[in-house]
Amino acid sequence: MNKKAQIHLPLRMVVDVDLRNNEVSANVEPLRSKKNSQILHMSNWPYTSRQDILSYKHDYNMIHVRSQRNIEHTFGDRATGMVFQFQAQHEKRFMDFSSVMDKLKQQDLTAAILYPFNTETNEFYNVNVHFDAEQSSNKNVKITFSYVDDQEDVGPQPTNPKNPNERLNKQNAANPSSKSANSQSRRQEFLQNVAAGITHSEAQVWDIAVQFEGKNPAEYVLTVATADSPIDEKVRMLVFANGVNAKPSKQSAQQMQACMTLNGKFPNTPALNFKHALEHDATSNIDVTLNFGEKCTQNSAHIQIKAKVKQTEELKTIIRQSDVGKQCSKQMDEGQNQLPACRLATSLANKLDRYEINIDYDNLPSQFKDWTYRLYGVARQMGYQYYEENNMVNNKNGRIEIETQFAPRFDAFNVTIQTPKMQGEFRDVRLNKWATALVIKPSNNWSDRLYNRAIQYSDVCVLDKDYLNTFDNNTIVQNLGKCWHVMMQTVDRYDANESQSSEEDQDQQITIMARDSATDSNQKDVLIVVGQNNGNDYTVKLTPAQSADSTPRVYINDVEQHPTQNHAVEIHSDDD
């Protein structure tokens, strides 16, 4: 077989990086604006060869396994004003969903991503994609990416994103006043809206715009804003998408918009005490409002999602009576709260095993309903061995109800789906190790759980009453006394022959030390030193609380602070 694959992108690109305003822009245009270009070629040529030993000539014969099929398709003209021609000749069999699933089952996901064309087939195919410059009405593409956060100035009369009394005034806060590409006013408006009402919020806004310039201009805008807080249970996400096609179509409008607001409440669950975690009500709520259509108005398509995620009493009982739960309870009676058994038990006690989701919808276009049913058909096909369906129901119109219950070990789950015309149920669906990392646990976000699952490494070192558990999971008896002992220290990444580290590394140096408290040897004093490039290092000192009901005493640079559950003390680098 003779396989070929080639990508050719004859482009002229000018990139502008504005670090002061956190903005990157690029102008891209064809290198030959009046000449068609082949940008992709993929082919497979199976053949046999016969050599004449006297003349040293080779006779090549192509192998054909079935009749050749031809495909020609033009795309991109309506959406971007740039025309691309897709041409293919092949002898492959008919492709359907079943054949695709069989192909995926032959190799794991990682192999499929890394080696998508690694196949043993000897079938002929020849695929080409051309850029048609003559038919294209737009020849220039402008791409802009911008970022702002809650430390940016938000205008002449700013709304403080950290003010808990600020409230949203819009039904859908993701519907901005400005819809144009690369709009600074939209970014500032999103920065205010996403952080409103969240105490000590940390807000970010990402704005991406792609503009196709020419006779029939088109533009696509995506703005995403997120906000959370180290102490507030509220989180929020705003998403605005706007697309203006180069040409109208009979099937859909030339302009489409989507506005989504997500409000969530995830309580700060006890992460250092197993018994408190079992008693704590970690019920979380998620509300999503989505409008889409030609414009985000009251008459556009509307979807309202209300989800409640909670922990059942059955799960709490199972965790409490499990071997690791009993071992942790015994260790806590001895004053050890965070040895490996208790860390595992506390992590389990923070997981939520029941999900209740109500979806109300109105004014949905028939095409959207059709695609939704097709996706459900795919899920039904993939999980046919777990699936049961009842069509003899008459539920409320305009509502879908979904209930999910996880098994105690979070290795399987049941899902019940109620729609106006039918009820479907998936039972005992098995979960792989990656899916279990996505189970909601309010004390950890999903990215941290996926990261820990991927590296299979503990980033925790514990100093308990009588024992010390190291990063490599060795538990040893400790007796610190009144002298400071180093618990953790960052190491500079520089050549051993260099006399000092770079300024960037100095600003990331952290040292954590501990000793027995002068007032109670069963408790500890902790000293955290945070390095600074310019100026003196920060020192954060923690000493035991004066009473059982109060919090530890906190000193920053020897000045006592008073953080509470509703008030955090922030420190910033001198370089910020």
Side-chain angles (χ1 to χ4, degrees):
M1 289 186 297
N2 185 10
K3 283 190 175 183
K4 298 179 182 179
Q6 177 180 335
I7 298 177
H8 178 225
L9 300 175
L11 301 174
R12 181 185 293 110
M13 180 181 299
V14 178
V15 180
D16 181 24
V17 180
D18 186 350
L19 297 179
R20 182 181 297 275
N21 295 313
N22 296 326
E23 183 174 300
V24 178
S25 61
N27 281 287
V28 185
E29 61 181 355
L31 194 60
R32 298 179 292 272
S33 60
K34 296 183 180 181
K35 184 177 180 180
N36 297 348
S37 302
Q38 182 178 13
I39 61 178
L40 175 66
H41 171 78
M42 294 171 51
S43 61
N44 183 43
W45 306 83
Y47 65 91
T48 59
S49 174
R50 185 175 65 86
Q51 180 180 355
D52 189 333
I53 62 174
L54 297 178
S55 62
Y56 297 101
K57 293 182 178 180
H58 290 266
D59 292 332
Y60 296 97
N61 293 308
M62 286 287 297
I63 299 176
H64 298 281
V65 296
R66 58 184 62 90
S67 299
Q68 180 176 301
R69 299 181 180 181
N70 298 321
I71 301 175
E72 292 187 1
H73 180 65
T74 301
F75 64 94
D77 185 28
R78 173 180 170 270
T80 66
M82 304 180 74
V83 181
F84 297 89
Q85 303 286 350
F86 175 85
Q87 298 174 343
Q89 300 86 38
H90 70 94
E91 297 176 1
K92 292 183 173 293
R93 294 182 181 274
F94 175 74
M95 296 291 290
D96 58 3
F97 179 75
S98 178
S99 61
V100 173
M101 292 302 300
D102 291 339
K103 177 64 178 177
L104 292 176
K105 290 178 182 179
Q106 294 177 6
Q107 54 187 355
D108 57 60
L109 180 61
T110 303
I113 295 174
L114 296 178
Y115 308 103
F117 308 114
N118 185 21
T119 176
E120 298 179 356
T121 179
N122 62 351
E123 299 163 331
F124 162 78
Y125 62 83
N126 182 21
V127 179
N128 296 281
V129 178
H130 295 82
F131 170 65
D132 192 336
E134 297 179 357
Q135 300 297 325
S136 298
S137 58
N138 297 333
K139 303 290 180 65
N140 184 64
V141 182
K142 183 177 181 181
I143 305 171
T144 307
F145 172 78
S146 303
Y147 169 81
V148 294
D149 56 33
D150 63 351
Q151 295 180 359
E152 297 288 335
D153 185 12
V154 291
Q157 294 181 344
T159 300
N160 185 2
K162 299 183 182 300
N163 183 6
N165 295 320
E166 185 69 23
R167 292 293 182 266
L168 298 176
N169 297 320
K170 296 183 178 180
Q171 183 178 2
N172 192 336
N175 188 6
S177 302
S178 174
K179 275 71 172 182
S180 60
N182 194 26
S183 170
Q184 183 179 4
S185 62
R186 179 176 63 252
R187 293 193 290 269
Q188 300 302 333
E189 183 180 357
F190 265 45
L191 191 64
Q192 295 176 17
N193 287 343
V194 76
I198 301 179
T199 306
H200 285 280
S201 64
E202 298 175 358
Q204 303 85 28
V205 178
W206 296 268
D207 189 21
I208 303 173
V210 181
Q211 298 170 273
F212 297 88
E213 300 175 340
K215 296 181 180 179
N216 299 306
E219 68 175 32
Y220 298 90
V221 175
L222 176 64
T223 305
V224 180
T226 62
D228 57 10
S229 169
I231 60 173
D232 201 325
E233 64 179 8
K234 293 189 289 292
V235 300
R236 185 175 295 116
M237 174 185 286
L238 306 179
V239 179
F240 170 73
N242 182 43
V244 180
N245 296 324
K247 297 180 180 180
S249 171
K250 296 181 179 180
Q251 289 78 18
S252 60
Q254 186 172 3
Q255 178 176 345
M256 290 292 293
Q257 289 182 1
C259 307
M260 187 197 78
T261 299
L262 183 151
N263 290 294
K265 288 187 177 181
F266 298 93
N268 293 320
T269 56
L272 302 177
N273 190 297
F274 170 58
K275 295 180 180 178
H276 290 172
L278 281 178
E279 298 170 356
H280 188 79
D281 183 9
T283 300
S284 303
N285 294 278
I286 303 173
D287 292 340
V288 179
T289 300
L290 172 63
N291 294 88
F292 63 93
E294 291 190 40
K295 293 184 179 180
C296 295
T297 62
Q298 294 182 352
N299 296 325
S300 61
H302 175 77
I303 298 177
Q304 185 77 39
I305 303 175
K306 292 185 177 296
K308 177 183 288 188
V309 188
K310 60 184 180 180
Q311 187 181 75
T312 60
E313 291 297 328
E314 291 80 4
L315 179 61
K316 291 183 178 181
T317 302
I318 291 173
I319 296 174
R320 188 181 292 110
Q321 295 177 354
S322 65
D323 292 339
V324 68
K326 292 178 180 179
Q327 184 180 359
C328 177
S329 297
K330 182 179 179 180
Q331 291 178 353
M332 292 185 67
D333 293 338
E334 298 171 353
Q336 320 296 335
N337 293 333
Q338 277 294 292
L339 294 181
C342 275
R343 292 209 307 274
L344 176 58
T346 305
S347 176
L348 294 174
N350 281 325
K351 288 187 175 181
L352 308 180
D353 63 325
R354 184 168 181 82
Y355 297 57
E356 299 174 354
I357 305 173
N358 292 328
I359 305 174
D360 294 300
Y361 56 89
D362 189 24
N363 296 331
L364 294 185
S366 57
Q367 187 178 14
F368 182 86
K369 294 180 180 180
D370 180 56
W371 277 105
T372 302
Y373 187 77
R374 291 188 183 188
L375 289 175
Y376 180 73
V378 171
R380 183 170 52 185
Q381 171 68 22
M382 295 177 63
Y384 69 93
Q385 65 268 45
Y386 311 107
Y387 184 72
E388 296 179 2
E389 187 172 296
N390 178 16
N391 293 314
M392 303 300 293
V393 296
N394 188 17
N395 297 321
K396 180 180 178 181
N397 288 326
R399 166 170 286 197
I400 298 175
E401 298 179 0
I402 303 174
E403 294 183 358
T404 302
Q405 179 65 56
F406 286 90
R409 293 181 178 271
F410 290 92
D411 55 354
F413 66 94
N414 297 335
V415 178
T416 301
I417 303 174
Q418 298 268 6
T419 71
K421 300 299 181 181
M422 69 87 165
Q423 173 183 310
E425 186 172 7
F426 295 88
R427 298 187 61 84
D428 298 324
V429 181
R430 295 294 182 263
L431 283 173
N432 60 36
K433 62 180 182 179
W434 292 101
T436 56
L438 297 176
V439 174
I440 292 180
K441 187 166 63 172
S443 57
N444 295 98
N445 59 49
W446 66 270
S447 59
D448 290 339
R449 296 195 297 273
L450 284 176
Y451 175 77
N452 292 332
R453 171 65 69 178
I455 65 174
Q456 293 292 304
Y457 175 76
S458 173
D459 55 355
V460 177
C461 172
V462 172
L463 177 63
D464 226 322
K465 177 185 175 183
D466 301 317
Y467 294 93
L468 175 67
N469 183 251
T470 63
F471 287 109
D472 52 357
N473 200 29
N474 289 319
T475 302
I476 57 177
V477 178
Q478 56 85 10
N479 184 14
L480 300 183
K482 305 304 178 183
C483 297
W484 290 109
H485 289 68
V486 176
M487 297 291 103
M488 188 200 80
Q489 185 175 22
T490 54
V491 178
D492 296 330
R493 294 185 177 181
Y494 66 95
D495 193 290
N497 296 324
E498 296 182 9
S499 59
Q500 61 182 3
S501 62
S502 65
E503 289 189 356
E504 180 180 358
D505 288 334
Q506 291 178 7
D507 196 33
Q508 298 175 356
Q509 290 182 353
I510 298 177
T511 301
I512 301 177
M513 297 179 286
R515 68 182 180 186
D516 289 340
S517 174
T519 58
D520 186 354
S521 60
N522 291 327
Q523 302 191 67
K524 313 299 178 187
D525 294 337
V526 177
L527 180 65
I528 305 172
V529 182
V530 183
Q532 296 293 295
N533 286 337
N534 302 317
N536 297 325
D537 296 342
Y538 277 117
T539 61
V540 181
K541 185 178 180 181
L542 306 175
T543 62
Q546 295 179 324
S547 65
D549 298 331
S550 60
T551 59
R553 305 185 70 176
V554 180
Y555 300 85
I556 299 179
N557 292 342
D558 296 326
V559 178
E560 186 171 6
Q561 308 293 327
H562 302 282
T564 65
Q565 289 185 345
N566 300 318
H567 174 71
V569 177
E570 298 182 1
I571 60 174
H572 300 277
S573 169
D574 293 337
D575 304 322
D576 292 345

